[in-house]
Amino acid sequence: MKFCVCIKQVPDVSAPIQIRGGELVMDAGRAVLNAYDASAVEEALVLTAAHGGEVDVLLIGPEKAAETVRKALAMGAARGTHLVVADDAELDSGAVSALLARHLDGHAYDVIATGKQAQDTDAGLAGSMLAERLGLPYATNAVGLAAEDGTLVVTRQGDAGQEIIALPTPCLVTCSNDMNDPRIPNLKGIMAAKKKTIDTQPVADLPAASVRVLRYEPVPSREPGQKLDGEPTEQAAAVVRKLHDASVL
Amino acid sequence: MPTILSYVAVSGGKPTRASFEVLTRCRQIAEAQGWDLAAVVLAPDAETFAEAAGRYGAATVYAVSSPDFDHALNPPVLAALTTVIELAQPAVVAFPSSEGVKDVLGALAVRTGGAALADVAEFDVSDGAVEALRPVMAAKFMARTRAEAGDGSPVLVSVRSGSYTDEEAPVQPTVETVVFESDASTVRQTLREVVAAAGGAVDLSDARVVVAAGRGVKDDEGKRLVEELAEVTGAAIGASRAVVESGMFPATAQIGQTGKVVSPDVYFAVGVSGAIQHVAGMTNSRIIVAINSNPDAPIFDVATYGIVGDLYKVLPPLIEELKKANAA
Ligand SMILES: Cc1cc2nc3c(=O)[nH]c(=O)nc-3n(C[C@H](O)[C@H](O)[C@H](O)COP(=O)(O)OP(=O)(O)OC[C@H]3O[C@@H](n4cnc5c(N)ncnc54)[C@H](O)[C@@H]3O)c2cc1C
């Protein structure tokens, strides 16, 4: 099976981030491969190791994001394509999916995989938008993948349980990080990645975005809480009294 | 007059609470803007839910009935919603955020030429555009975001549960029965099986009380205590990613950035550290009670009431106290 995994470089949300003048300021500048995309790469590598085939990765991002393409190559992806844009924050899910679709139009992949959402915007729209633009059958929020002859079997996490859906190839799937533990590239992988080429393509005309971030704001803070002292029996009695007073039980 | 269309999701044979929250918000916007309010229901017997939508103010209810909606496949849902959007020509379509909605929102936006805003905590209409507040960066920040679809196409928004309070405002709705024949040739995928999560008497995203277990819950004894606490409080059981991964709790119970967003009146966080990715799914809870042996656990930063202690020692008296209160 030939896979193309669409990946994104995102800020490390556990690093210090502040808001200044409505903008996010990341002093450490730490960026990582989106965890959901890492799971998609991992799963594609496992399936191709078992059934044959190859994994390519495709990224839209600024020049700096080349390091994230390199990371996926170090994990074991065969080829990387980097569509270079000045600032991917200007692109909404619609524009991202339009750019990806432009690039993948007439593609020869059996499966196009993406993360179920990006860890920074948490939008979760680009995957199904891309499927619709390419006219592919798709499933979102995969927590398990299996390959059969000409079919991708997706276990997806639905609202009430897990749905097992068979997709004929070519198809698209969006992956959860609940699916696996992505491998950490070893030295051999890192060395091999250095020899792999990244097809770097500057993007001249960006698709128009219909969604725009006006500014970032802090999360409204909750009322400060209260720690309850005493022995467990006293703490328990105190909590029950509070819940009772609030008429919630 | 422009229309705002609200999607009423049916689960286990009834509309979800989150649907009425969204419908209430749509009614407020319709009143403020002087717009028409309509609702859409997709179900095997959609007409049955028209009265419920009318109770929350929907003047028109588009009812699309088909056995196809009993199956978890996206093509019939996409086709039906596209048909209704063509009929109703809404300026805005609002959905309660759920896995089912997340599965179609993006594709629907492309198919209808619209714009989409996912998982908003707040939204309003101004100057023909939708302005929303969206949690981003694992809900560490909010992004004030504006979406505008050109050429009379709709803006689609999905709303996190608990963002609004449901309020009745009854009207007698006009029911538009939409004839829908799904075209089998467009359905290429097949549903092989639905593996329903065991237990879980109460639907998590609709629950008034949630008991969430974290890695502090280490064994069968801990699990039993969590289940007992859930039973005496009539709660749904939630979980952190750590205990879902360990296999102790089903994946459907996961709360957080990857899992579900919940908004109960009371949230018991039992042995949950409070990692931002978990907190992302539960800060809409009205009262948060955290039980954790580590006084510095980040969960205490968001908890209304914090009990520093060993859950194995705290839960038994807590369960006893609750039983006493129930009996009284
Ligand atoms: C992209 C991404 C998405 C994620 N999405 C989610 C998500 O949706 N939901 C989610 O939950 N996580 C998610 N995570 C994982 C998250 O970062 C944390 O790893 C996870 O929430 C930790 O779970 P926990 O609090 O149960 O475990 P831990 O962090 O191990 O905490 C266990 C807590 O239990 C306490 N404890 C231990 N023993 C006892 C005792 N006897 N009595 C009382 N307290 C005790 C400890 O003090 C500790 O605070 C995600 C991570 C990533 C990278």
Side-chain angles (χ1 to χ4, degrees):
Chain A
M1 268 185 168
K2 267 183 77 65
F3 275 80
C4 179
V5 185
C6 305
I7 61 175
K8 183 182 181 186
Q9 184 177 68
V10 296
D12 180 354
V13 292
S14 58
I17 306 172
Q18 287 168 15
I19 304 176
R20 268 184 238 140
E23 305 267 350
L24 292 184
V25 184
M26 287 157 259
D27 289 332
R30 258 191 353 238
V32 294
L33 167 60
N34 180 34
Y36 303 99
D37 304 348
S39 281
V41 171
E42 174 64 32
E43 205 64 14
L45 289 170
V46 168
L47 286 180
T48 49
H51 301 275
E54 257 180 355
V55 181
D56 291 348
V57 293
L58 171 60
L59 175 143
I60 300 171
E63 264 167 41
K64 178 180 180 297
E67 67 199 29
T68 289
V69 181
R70 199 65 74 186
K71 159 102 191 262
L73 295 177
M75 287 174 75
R79 262 176 305 272
T81 303
H82 181 182
L83 306 179
V84 185
V85 297
D87 182 6
D88 56 352
E90 302 285 307
L91 301 170
D92 66 351
S93 312
V96 164
S97 62
L99 248 176
L100 292 173
R102 205 196 281 168
H103 186 81
L104 288 165
D105 189 28
H107 66 93
Y109 292 106
D110 299 301
V111 181
I112 295 172
T114 71
K116 68 174 243 178
Q117 67 202 60
Q119 258 169 291
D120 53 352
T121 65
D122 282 327
L125 296 165
S128 70
M129 284 180 155
L130 178 58
E132 177 68 20
R133 291 189 197 281
L134 294 172
L136 295 176
Y138 73 92
T140 59
N141 202 10
V143 292
L145 293 184
E148 285 173 13
D149 205 15
T151 304
L152 184 74
V153 182
V154 180
T155 302
R156 76 176 290 273
Q157 186 64 52
D159 289 300
Q162 294 189 335
E163 295 148 11
I164 299 166
I165 295 169
L167 296 171
T169 56
C171 62
L172 184 143
V173 61
T174 83
C175 300
S176 172
N177 65 332
D178 295 337
M179 187 150 65
N180 52 40
D181 279 320
R183 69 195 66 187
I184 294 161
N186 57 20
L187 191 62
K188 194 162 152 252
I190 295 167
M191 296 311 287
K194 289 202 167 131
K195 297 203 193 81
K196 296 176 186 169
T197 51
I198 298 179
D199 179 10
T200 303
Q201 302 182 14
V203 180
D205 49 336
L206 292 178
S210 51
V211 177
R212 208 154 44 86
V213 173
L214 304 176
R215 61 180 177 277
Y216 291 93
E217 299 175 10
V219 174
S221 60
R222 294 181 64 94
E223 295 273 298
Q226 183 189 351
K227 281 198 183 132
L228 303 168
D229 297 323
E231 290 299 306
T233 44
E234 293 161 343
Q235 293 169 320
V239 163
V240 173
R241 213 176 315 117
K242 304 245 181 227
L243 296 178
H244 195 262
D245 290 348
S247 328
V248 287
L249 282 183
Chain B
M1 210 164 12
T3 295
I4 184 163
L5 179 66
S6 195
Y7 177 80
V8 175
V10 177
S11 162
K14 56 180 211 283
T16 61
R17 165 162 69 103
S19 297
F20 294 140
E21 294 169 0
V22 175
L23 187 47
T24 300
R25 179 60 187 152
C26 289
R27 179 178 55 78
Q28 293 163 350
I29 292 175
E31 282 169 3
Q33 302 286 327
W35 286 10
D36 286 331
L37 176 61
V40 51
V41 191
L42 315 184
D45 48 355
E47 284 82 3
T48 3
F49 304 103
E51 184 266 326
R55 212 169 344 114
Y56 289 86
T60 312
V61 179
Y62 294 92
V64 194
S65 294
S66 163
D68 288 352
F69 305 130
D70 247 356
H71 308 297
L73 288 177
N74 46 43
V77 178
L78 274 168
L81 286 174
T82 307
T83 305
V84 171
I85 287 171
E86 275 165 10
L87 268 173
Q89 299 278 320
V92 176
V93 190
F95 301 79
S97 203
S98 66
E99 289 310 331
V101 164
K102 284 180 193 171
D103 194 36
V104 296
L105 197 68
L108 186 66
V110 169
R111 198 171 290 188
T112 57
L117 280 167
D119 257 339
V120 307
E122 226 176 270
F123 76 108
D124 209 341
V125 167
S126 79
D127 306 330
V130 173
E131 225 177 89
L133 211 51
R134 293 190 61 244
V136 293
M137 307 289 226
K140 228 179 171 178
F141 300 102
M142 303 299 264
R144 192 161 290 280
T145 309
R146 192 178 158 85
E148 213 161 350
D151 305 334
S153 299
V155 176
L156 318 180
V157 270
S158 73
V159 185
R160 288 160 70 99
S161 75
S163 300
Y164 294 99
T165 308
D166 51 327
E167 258 168 45
E168 295 192 6
V171 295
Q172 192 65 45
T174 307
V175 182
E176 296 273 352
T177 303
V178 180
V179 181
F180 174 74
E181 298 272 351
S182 88
D183 175 357
S185 70
T186 62
V187 185
R188 284 169 284 171
Q189 47 271 70
T190 43
L191 180 68
R192 289 205 177 156
E193 201 185 331
V194 177
V195 189
V202 188
D203 181 354
L204 200 53
S205 28
D206 254 21
R208 292 289 181 191
V209 183
V210 169
V211 176
R215 201 180 342 237
V217 177
K218 294 183 189 75
D219 48 21
D220 286 347
E221 170 61 8
K223 190 173 178 210
R224 196 188 57 73
L225 287 170
V226 163
E227 284 165 353
E228 213 179 325
L229 178 59
E231 203 183 306
V232 294
T233 50
I237 295 181
S240 73
R241 176 152 182 248
V243 287
V244 166
E245 263 187 344
S246 75
M248 206 186 301
F249 290 88
T252 35
Q254 184 169 316
I255 290 166
Q257 185 184 24
T258 307
K260 290 190 172 135
V261 173
V262 297
S263 54
D265 289 334
V266 189
Y267 189 90
F268 291 95
V270 182
V272 173
S273 63
I276 50 167
Q277 295 90 353
H278 182 85
V279 170
M282 49 73 88
T283 37
N284 269 358
S285 308
R286 212 174 115 205
I287 295 178
I288 297 169
V289 179
I291 300 153
N292 196 305
S293 50
N294 173 6
D296 298 323
I299 193 73
F300 290 125
D301 297 341
V302 296
T304 324
Y305 303 114
I307 298 180
V308 180
D310 182 345
L311 69 94
Y312 290 86
K313 299 211 174 82
V314 174
L315 290 195
L318 182 57
I319 291 163
E320 279 316 306
E321 283 295 328
L322 287 161
K323 279 188 186 157
K324 267 195 260 167
N326 283 353

